Amino acid sequence: MPVKSLKPSPTGAADLPVRPAQRPRGRRVLLSLVLALAVVLGVVVPGIAFASGFTKADGGHVVVVRNGGPFDDNSIRQVIQPNSSLTSTGLFSAEHPYPSTQRNFKVSGQEDADSNEVINVPTKDGVLVGVEGTFYFDVNFTDEGVMSAFDDKYGTRTYPGPDGAIYAWDGDEGWSAFLNFTLGNLVQNVLRQEIGDVECADLVASCSLAANSSAQAVAVIDPNANGNQTINQVQAAVNEAFSKDVNDVLGVDILVNPRFVLSKIELPQNVQDAINQAQAAFAGVTESQAALQRAQIDAQADAARQGGYDACSTCAQIDVLKALPDGLTTYAPGTGFTVTGQ
């Protein structure tokens, strides 16, 4: 095989063989990253999505599942009942867990209450009383149609919570925010209506003291008043009115079997002050009546004792001797009268 001669270069050095051009290192790195990304998108992401496409509901929640895939609409896919087994929900679906156990709406000024304030309503006789109590109700989770309608209407928007806007299905805080936003005015209206049909003394017997605080009638309290019976009647009326109005307000039969328990009636400070003054005056009158009755009894006892002495002068002397201090044997209070003992 003939050997090719090397032509001298202009500088006198022989030319080296020409090597093929190599790809830049940066281009190889970029190609590797593209291949890795393709593997992630083609294998890892679908694997994670497939694994996340299953869920189950615990004993205290019902889960409404909405479609969420890139090619799906956002309609409701299914409703998973409490205590379910692992259930397929499809890729990229959204889960909205709602409580399925008994829930409540607490009306109180305490920090953990749902209303965070006492509801002040006027009684029939115009006394503005503060009402505290709790609404208990069940969630109609077994009706999938109701749950779907509820999620469409209330599960796709947010409500003002302690830390900002929150969904109704976002834990206990979200559910409480939903209840406070939707039921706050309804609860106030129902209590205003039912408390407005009774007088203050029917709820708190001592209200009659403030209404009859004159000297002659300081302690006038209706002996037939039965506050507990009135409170039971108010609770029953509130339950009936709330059951009717809650469906009209929400438009969905989601809260069923409501029960209201009235825990406390607060009186305005001026009314409570009047009651305290009346009770103090009544205590003073009672003390005076007791002193008068005691004086009358003592007078009757003295009169009876004097009658006995008139019939038995010796009995009088014996009683005097018994009353003498120890060591004293003679008692001579005046001329002509001396009692001497041994």
Side-chain angles (χ1 to χ4, degrees), residues 7-25:
K7 296 180 179 180
S9 64
T11 60
D15 289 336
L16 297 175
V18 178
R19 295 180 179 179
Q22 295 182 352
R23 294 178 180 177
R25 179 177 177 83

Side-chain angles (χ1 to χ4, degrees), residues 29-47:
V29 173
L30 179 60
L31 181 59
S32 300
L33 292 176
V34 171
L35 291 176
L37 181 61
V39 172
V40 171
L41 294 177
V43 178
V44 178
V45 171

